[in-house]
Amino acid sequence: MKFGIAFKLGCLLAAFGVLASGVTGYYSYSSSRNLLLKAAERDLLTATQVLGRNLRGGIDAVARDALILASVAQARRLPTQPEGALRAHAENDLAELFRAQMQAHPQYMQIRLIGAGDHGLERVRVDRDGHRLLRIDRAKLQEKSHYAYLFETLSLAPGQIRLSPIVINRELGAHSGLGKPTLHVSTPVVDAGGRVVGALVINVDLDQMFDQLKSDLPSHYQVYLSNRWGDLLIHPDHRRTFGFDQGRRLFIQDEFADVARLLEGGGETSLISRHETVDSGLVAAFVRLSVNTGNSERFIILGLAQPESHVLAETSRLGQRIVQVVLLSSLLALAIAIVASRALTHPLMSITLAVQQFARERRTRPLPIHRHDELGQLARSFAQMQEEILGQLDELNQRRDALEHLARHDPLTGLPNRRVFFERLDHALASARRSAKPLAVLFVDLDHFKELNDSLGHGVGDRVLQAVANLLRSATRESDTVARLGGDEFVILIEQLDDPQQVLAVLHKLHERFQLPMLVDRHEVQVQASMGVSLFPRDGDDIESLLQQADRAMYAAKNAGRNTYNYEAQDPR
Amino acid sequence: MTRIRPLLVSLAILLPLAPGLAAGAEALRLLAWPGYADADLVERFEQRHGVAVEVTLVGNDDVLREKLSANNGGDYDLIAANTAEIHHYIEQGLLQPLQPARIANTTRQLWRFRDYPRIPGISRDGKVYAIPYTYAEMGLIYDRTQLSEPPRSIASLWDPRFQGRVLAFNGSSHAFSLAAQAAGLDPFRIEAADFPRLTERLIALRRNVLTFYAQPEEAASLFREHRVALLFANYGRQQLKQLRDQGADVGYVIPREGALAWLDCWAISRGARNMALAEAWIDFALEPPMSRALVERQGLSNTLEEPENLEGADRLIWLRPVEDAERRARLWERILSGERPPLEETP
């Protein structure tokens, strides 16, 4: 009984409740976490695609500017016009136009018209230098024939645009553009005969361009950009960009392994990838943007990343709420378990108590018999069993009492028999000795009963004996004992005598009653008796002597002619 | 029971020793370049000598310098570095001299890799500090479909017939060395007075080339897309292999002026814990399996056999520190930016 059924049941119910709410909580948490992650990934991918479109839009705008400027240069017959005032004038006008463009577009670092001849000598060049725009002196113009943005552009058809690989601009004298990640947007310039005679090149500062593009994005989005080999061009950690410029290549696919699939140029154009860092993971979306079809730099990879922790902040809030709900429902489950186990064990307890009390004291206690469940049934069964047991016990007791009565009483008259009389006499003698109060033993013997029996029959004899018994009882006190010793012999024990003379009164009263005829079965019968008395302590102080003395006194009365009584002390013979 | 007892006793004696044995197992600590100590080959050495080998890989000279000098050479037993770097480490006192005679497999090496006094940078005061292991030379790659005759001289890079079809390397030090070679000067010791004419030579080169490349992949795609005829192979045979793999019909020559070449050697750090084990590693590296892996897996050359089909292997010029790297870099930036001659140097 160390752990009762209530405790065990409570534990079981509570454990089940807690488990059920815990499991439910966990599943709802993990599924909503997945949903949130998926939604975040979708958002990220959409944002990346939008950023890609904006990037392309930005590049297209630069390309349009380049085409307009190239057409102006062509209209002014630059750069093939011979030296002279006319040419200087045209170049000045073009420089003004470059300046105007650069004022409108802060991301333009440099605009140049470069000739195909003279080893790619620059013809007109405007640089950004801080807040100023500088027209470069003729003497400081440089030869650019060995740069791909020139020699590849010169091989294009008029109206075509070339986008360069993005590199760090290392061309000395580039002013603000020096050391900046740069995209060269270039287009060929043709002469009247349609021959390519030069190129128009706009240098775009990638950082500024992305600063503009990024301004619409949430601040926790990190931008990644790589060229077609995966070399990092834009990275949250500036030190990791343009590694190839310092002789060590750092690849985006080393951080986001999945991007390798985009670089290989399969069917995919976008994907989601993850990067585990020491403290937190990054989830990122990447798109492949085609920029230069037919060129080795035919695409770039654009990516947006955000810390997984940022996405999961939402889910951790959700998680906390779910934990609260789980805790509350667990407490509720615990409370319900306690109540339920009580409700079950309380009736069991009361039945147990009832059984124990019944076993101990044969007394019934209230049982939960009005319940409509198994416990009610048990209680009802038990109550029924109790009743049956009690009924049988009562019957047994009655029978025992009857038997006992039979053993101690004369069946004919209902008077106590000889055995009872001797017990009472013994008892009376003991108390008489203590209280020193006398007692009397009175023998009554019917006269001529044998003749009466013979003449009127046993039936009438029995009636007579019953009538005598009634007579003797009616003439004595309740506390006195009237017993039938056998045949027609009766004895009366009179206790607690204050005065032995009282016995005389009793004798007298009895004698008188015997003088009256009795009506027995319509027979008028005259029954008389001889009576003898012995007194304690006058005639003896034990049963034997008292009985002998009473017997002698009775015989003395018989000898004296019957129908009388003898009170005197008898001489022992 | 009586039979088991001796066993138990011996176990009781041996067991406490077991961890001690493991902890005492020696580790050989290598600082090397990718491809110099591949895991499968390292495992053979470990089994043969019952030691562990810890390989730390580096990707450039600067990282190697940083790692070796971090604990005064105490963190590594062996390093692999080129002759110019070895020279630097000897100056810094980070290496200890070794005795080639104790490394049996040096006898397998080609004579020119055992002629220690003639290999620049690896000896000092008559003591040898490094054993050559692998090398690559910077020869010329040419398109056999465009050039019927292989180019004989570095001067071909300036040949106006190939104008716009030459690829040169974008590196200040090598560019000036190349110009000096072409001018018949010491490529690593350019006199101050020679700089203006070499600068002009390089401007002339700039006007003759298609462009200057930095990465071998870049060179390969330029070669393919722009009908390049002649290429200065800064990455040597590696580039030759790359182009041939692309299907280009190319040849490779060592010009008569000789080809610049880097030579990587094994050297024992001052902090080496077990000299004999370090020597055993070098000996192992000079066995055919290790040395052939350099050729087969990396496209490098080893010191045991001459590369196939190459004439002029004796004309290699091992790289040495140059007289003034900063000056070369400063001038090269201006040349590359497209400045027109003459370039005035401001003091």
Side-chain angles (χ1 to χ4, degrees), chain A residues 248-379:
Chain A
R248 58 188 179 120
R249 298 184 75 177
L250 297 165
F251 294 108
I252 195 163
Q253 60 267 37
D254 293 342
E255 286 182 43
F256 297 94
D258 300 323
V259 178
R261 300 208 306 269
L262 290 182
L263 293 170
E264 282 155 16
E268 270 179 306
T269 57
S270 65
L271 53 78
I272 298 285
S273 182
R274 284 192 160 67
H275 174 55
E276 300 302 325
T277 57
V278 188
D279 41 339
S280 150
L282 282 175
V283 54
F286 292 94
V287 295
R288 189 176 61 200
L289 290 177
S290 300
V291 286
N292 252 349
T293 43
N295 182 308
S296 63
E297 290 290 329
R298 57 191 185 280
F299 62 83
I300 52 176
I301 303 288
L302 180 68
L304 281 181
Q306 63 171 333
E308 217 162 28
S309 58
H310 200 280
V311 181
L312 294 181
E314 193 71 25
T315 59
S316 73
R317 269 196 296 281
L318 178 83
Q320 281 168 2
R321 192 124 340 127
I322 286 176
V323 166
Q324 285 169 358
V325 169
V326 166
L327 280 180
L328 270 178
S329 58
S330 296
L331 283 177
L332 197 66
L334 197 66
I336 288 173
I338 290 171
V339 170
S341 68
R342 281 271 169 86
L344 181 67
T345 52
H346 183 71
L348 275 178
M349 206 58 132
S350 73
I351 292 174
T352 308
L353 279 177
V355 170
Q356 282 172 344
Q357 189 165 7
F358 184 71
R360 228 173 19 242
E361 306 167 25
R362 295 281 180 277
R363 265 172 46 199
T364 56
R365 278 172 62 96
L367 283 167
I369 52 173
H370 299 297
R371 296 176 68 104
H372 294 289
D373 52 13
E374 290 82 348
L375 285 169
Q377 213 171 348
L378 178 67

Side-chain angles (χ1 to χ4, degrees), chain B residues 8-27:
Chain B
L8 284 177
V9 168
S10 58
L11 269 181
I13 292 167
L14 289 176
L15 276 178
L17 290 178
L21 274 175
E26 265 188 286

Side-chain angles (χ1 to χ4, degrees), chain A residues 452-468:
Chain A
L452 188 137
N453 222 7
D454 291 345
S455 61
L456 293 175
H458 283 289
V460 174
D462 287 350
R463 292 276 182 282
V464 168
L465 287 174
Q466 285 169 340
V468 170

Side-chain angles (χ1 to χ4, degrees), chain B residues 256-278:
Chain B
R256 65 164 178 263
E257 295 88 350
L260 299 174
W262 53 258
L263 174 63
D264 272 7
C265 309
W266 287 111
I268 299 176
S269 138
R270 190 174 69 183
R273 289 187 295 212
N274 184 340
M275 192 72 183
L277 192 62

Side-chain angles (χ1 to χ4, degrees), chain A residues 147-149 162-171 177-184 203-207 225 227 231-233 241-242 244-245 297, chain B residues 214 218:
Chain A
Y147 283 102
Y149 61 72
R162 177 185 184 271
L163 302 177
S164 72
I166 295 157
V167 292
I168 298 287
N169 188 353
R170 294 274 171 222
E171 296 173 44
L178 189 64
K180 290 272 167 55
T182 303
L183 169 71
H184 297 95
N203 287 14
V204 182
D205 178 10
L206 192 72
D207 287 345
L225 186 73
N227 63 17
D231 289 295
L232 288 165
L233 307 177
T241 57
F242 294 97
F244 58 82
D245 195 58
E297 290 290 329
Chain B
E218 192 187 345

Side-chain angles (χ1 to χ4, degrees), chain A residues 68-97:
Chain A
I68 290 167
L69 293 174
S71 70
V72 172
Q74 274 160 225
R76 304 295 294 268
R77 309 228 318 272
L78 286 171
T80 47
Q81 202 170 56
E83 295 278 348
L86 204 59
R87 171 164 165 178
H89 187 62
E91 285 181 352
N92 286 345
D93 285 353
L94 196 61
E96 282 311 307
L97 210 52

